[in-house]
C-alpha cells in the first residue's frame, strides 16, 4: 500500500526535456495517463509547480484534473479554480522593450508571462552577458516588488511574492495534501526553494541531473525520473525506493 504521499512536480526539465525553444518541448506518449493514474492513486494530492503559466501547462498536457501552480506558484489552479494575486502590473511595455533591444539577436527569445518576463539565450549562448545585464537593469528599475530567478540559459523577472516553496507549503495546509508526506522533483535552481520546503516538512526532495542542491535524493536525468514515475503509477515502485543524493 502507498504511504500517504503528496506529489509536486516541476515541468520543464522534469516532466518534459529542455528544448531549444520554450514552445518546442514534447510531452512523451503515456505521460498524461501516468499522471492521471498517480493523481487517482494519491486521492488528488498531485500538483505541477512550474515557472510556466497555468494556461501553457494545460495546453501541453490537455486539461488534467490535478492542480497546477504556475509562475513559480504565483497563479494557482486548485480544485479546478484559478486564482492570482490582485494588483500586479502587466509588464507588456517592458516585454516590448526587451524584444526591441534584442531584435538583431534572433537566438534570444523573450517570453511574455504577463506579470513576469523571461529571457532565453539557449540558441544564442554568445548573448548571455548582454541578456543577464539587460534583465538586471530591468529588475533594478522595477524595484523591490520583483526579483530575478535564474534557470538553465534563462533569466526571469518575477514578482517577489512568487516561489515554488511557498506554493508547496500553502497546498500542504489543505486537503487533499494536508497530513501527507510531500515529494517534490525538479532539475534546476528555480526548484531549490521547493526542495527546502519539502525537506523542512519531512518529505522527499528529488534533484534531476548534476549540480549542487538541497535535495536529499537524486536521479541522473529527466527521462530516468519519468521512467521511475511510470513505474510508480503502475504500483511497482515508490518514493521510499529512491537513492540518496
Amino acid at each position: 500500500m502507498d504511504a500517504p504521499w503528496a506529489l509536486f512536480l516541476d515541468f520543464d526539465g522534469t516532466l518534459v526535456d529542455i528544448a531549444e525553444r520554450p514552445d518546442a518541448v514534447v510531452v512523451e506518449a503515456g505521460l498524461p495517463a501516468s499522471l492521471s493514474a498517480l493523481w487517482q492513486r494519491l486521492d488528488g494530492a498531485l500538483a505541477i509547480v512550474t515557472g510556466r503559466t497555468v494556461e501553457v501547462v494545460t495546453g501541453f498536457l490537455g486539461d488534467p484534473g490535478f492542480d497546477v501552480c504556475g509562475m513559480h506558484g504565483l497563479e494557482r489552479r486548485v480544485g479546478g479554480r484559478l486564482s492570482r494575486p490582485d494588483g500586479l502590473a502587466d509588464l507588456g511595455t517592458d516585454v516590448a522593450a526587451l524584444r526591441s533591444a534584442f531584435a538583431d539577436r534572433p537566438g534570444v527569445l523573450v517570453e511574455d508571462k504577463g506579470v513576469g518576463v523571461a529571457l532565453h539565450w539557449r540558441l544564442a549562448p554568445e548573448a548571455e552577458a548582454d541578456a543577464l545585464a539587460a534583465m538586471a537593469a530591468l529588475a533594478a528599475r522595477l524595484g523591490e516588488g520583483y526579483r530575478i530567478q535564474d534557470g538553465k540559459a534563462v533569466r526571469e523577472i518575477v514578482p517577489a511574492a512568487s516561489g515554488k516553496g511557498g506554493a508547496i507549503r500553502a497546498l500542504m495546509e489543505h486537503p487533499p495534501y494536508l497530513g501527507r508526506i510531500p515529494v517534490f522533483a525538479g532539475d534546476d535552481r528555480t526548484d531549490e526553494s521547493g526542495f527546502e520546503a519539502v525537506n523542512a516538512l519531512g518529505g522527499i526532495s528529488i534533484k534531476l541531473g548534476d549540480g549542487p542542491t538541497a535535495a536529499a535524493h537524486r536521479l541522473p536525468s529527466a527521462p530516468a525520473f519519468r521512467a521511475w514515475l511510470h513505474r510508480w503509477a503502475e504500483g511497482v515502485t515508490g518514493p521510499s525506493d529512491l537513492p540518496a543524493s
Side-chain angles (χ1 to χ4, degrees):
M1 180 180 295
D2 281 337
W5 305 111
L7 179 58
F8 303 97
L9 299 165
D10 174 43
F11 185 69
D12 291 283
T14 301
L15 292 181
V16 295
D17 294 334
I18 298 291
E20 289 186 338
R21 299 177 57 92
D23 58 359
V25 298
V26 175
V27 176
E28 68 183 22
L31 179 64
S34 286
L35 291 174
S36 180
L38 279 168
W39 177 56
Q40 296 177 52
R41 193 178 187 90
L42 299 175
D43 298 320
L46 186 156
I48 295 175
V49 186
T50 175
R52 301 272 198 149
T53 64
V54 170
E55 181 181 14
V56 166
V57 170
T58 56
F60 279 114
L61 293 177
D63 190 12
F66 45 81
D67 299 329
V68 181
C69 296
M71 282 291 295
H72 303 284
L74 195 66
E75 59 173 14
R76 302 174 189 176
R77 195 189 75 169
V78 178
R81 300 184 65 179
L82 183 65
S83 64
R84 299 184 183 91
D86 295 328
L88 293 175
D90 187 286
L91 300 185
T93 300
D94 301 292
V95 169
L98 282 171
R99 286 178 172 154
S100 177
F102 288 93
D104 61 345
R105 312 287 283 273
V108 178
L109 306 175
V110 180
E111 184 181 4
D112 184 358
K113 297 189 176 186
V115 297
V117 59
L119 196 61
H120 301 260
W121 59 86
R122 183 172 298 276
L123 293 171
E126 73 283 355
E128 179 177 1
D130 291 340
L132 291 173
M135 293 294 272
L138 176 55
R141 187 181 68 73
L142 290 172
E144 63 182 15
Y146 293 83
R147 64 182 176 85
I148 286 173
Q149 180 81 64
D150 287 326
K152 296 177 178 177
V154 59
R155 170 166 281 187
E156 293 183 70
I157 293 175
V158 296
S162 66
K164 294 185 180 182
I168 290 170
R169 286 191 293 269
L171 288 178
M172 287 295 295
E173 293 177 357
H174 303 282
Y177 305 92
L178 182 66
R180 290 175 171 263
I181 303 167
V183 179
F184 176 55
D187 70 303
D188 70 12
R189 284 175 287 180
T190 67
D191 300 308
E192 290 298 320
S193 70
F195 297 149
E196 292 166 1
V198 164
N199 292 343
L201 291 166
I204 291 182
S205 49
I206 312 165
K207 162 76 171 179
L208 310 185
D210 299 328
T213 184
H217 301 269
R218 190 186 300 265
L219 288 172
S221 65
F225 172 73
R226 292 193 297 271
W228 174 84
L229 200 68
H230 291 309
R231 293 195 299 274
W232 186 11
E234 295 166 356
V236 176
T237 189
S240 299
D241 302 324
L242 286 163
S245 177

